[in-house]
Amino acid sequence: MADRSSDPPTPAPGRSRIAWIDMARGVSVVAIVTLHASLWFRAPLIGEDDSWASAAWDLADDRLGTVRLPLLLLLSGWLASGRLLRPEGGPKTRIAVATNAWLYAVWLTVYLLVALVVTPYEIVDPPAHAGEVVARYLVPLITPLWFVWALAVYNAVFRAARRVPPSAVLGALFLTGWFLDLTHGNAAEPMWMRAIRLAIYFAAGVFARDTLRHVVERRHAGPVAFGIALAAAVVDRVTPAVLHHPLTVLASVAVAIAVLAALRALAGRDGVRVPLQWIGRRTVGVYVLHPPLVVLLTAACLPAREELAPVFGTPAGRALLPLVVTAIVVASALALQSLLHRCGLARVALDLPGPWRARLAGDHRRPGAPARRPSPADPAHDA
């Protein structure tokens, strides 16, 4: 997350990154930005309409939920598995927990300040006063930062459960998610409940990393996995609601395998690999920066809604709008992340402060000596 420059150095020998893992992280974080561009920008500016473009985006927002967060969580667990399962991984796990907790606190403060200025709730639920905005943001896990909070909890819990049989952990998480799905139904899902329900994907990355990689690298893995996902989705539509959770988990894991297999096949194409891998090594900055960027862009465009109607009002404009906003937001997030590195602020905004990191790592260097700071290219410095 934080380093001396915005460009990560070459990994040390023996610790090289898998290109298609970084590419998949890039795909998943861009998909999350696209979702929020659709929900927070397209919907407020266009409103409800019955055009094919809006219907297509509503369907895409729903269907892509099968892969966005499950894939990102699976990859996070995959990259964290070494430090979580190895006996000597304690210091790195403590750093990961503290880093995510720090990022949650820092960026929750930033989100609150942005909300006080532009009040994003005006889009759907106007607050009565600034104090209400503050109260809403103090409610735990009300923002997309729930994912960062969840990573802190996952790291702590799975490190503590490393001696528990993986089948027991995965089984318990599966049954818990099934119970929550049956008892909560289609009601609005609190973020803490989502974190529990989705924990199985992080756990799959932690405990089944080698199996997943073996499956992904098999011939025809992509088409077979995609076929399984499609079949699960079809069956889900015609079977009782009691089977929704197991079919969703099956479809999500299958789609994740299909995406990974496709990206592995494309890793040899520089035109695809280079940009996705570059974004994939900067997912933290893109993730935490994109919500305020989308909100600020929406707030800037809402007053000019009538003037922009000729552009947004056409079918092509409505179809392309979320993609254009995604490109603007991702590019802006990457530029701001680079700026934070160049200004030295990334050491606080995108990483745990050095003295705290050194203390958690048990670094006993002489006073004043710089502590080693893992770079964004360090596989252990993630999730």
Side-chain angles (χ1 to χ4, degrees), residues 8 15 17 20 106 122 126 136 151 164 230 271 304 308 314 317 321 327 341 359 374-375 380-381:
R15 305 195 64 186
R17 295 173 73 112
W20 45 271
V106 168
E122 290 177 358
R136 290 181 183 184
L151 289 180
V164 179
L230 185 61
L308 294 172
T314 64
L321 181 59
H341 280 291
R359 182 175 299 179
S375 74
H381 189 53

Side-chain angles (χ1 to χ4, degrees), residues 38-80:
S38 179
L39 295 178
W40 301 344
F41 189 93
R42 178 184 65 88
L45 264 74
I46 294 178
E48 295 292 333
D49 73 285
D50 56 359
S51 68
W52 65 266
S54 293
W57 273 110
D58 290 340
L59 179 64
D61 292 342
D62 179 60
R63 296 306 178 196
L64 286 177
T66 306
V67 67
R68 277 186 305 257
L69 285 169
L71 176 59
L72 190 57
L73 283 168
L74 188 146
L75 295 170
S76 297
W78 182 315
L79 293 171

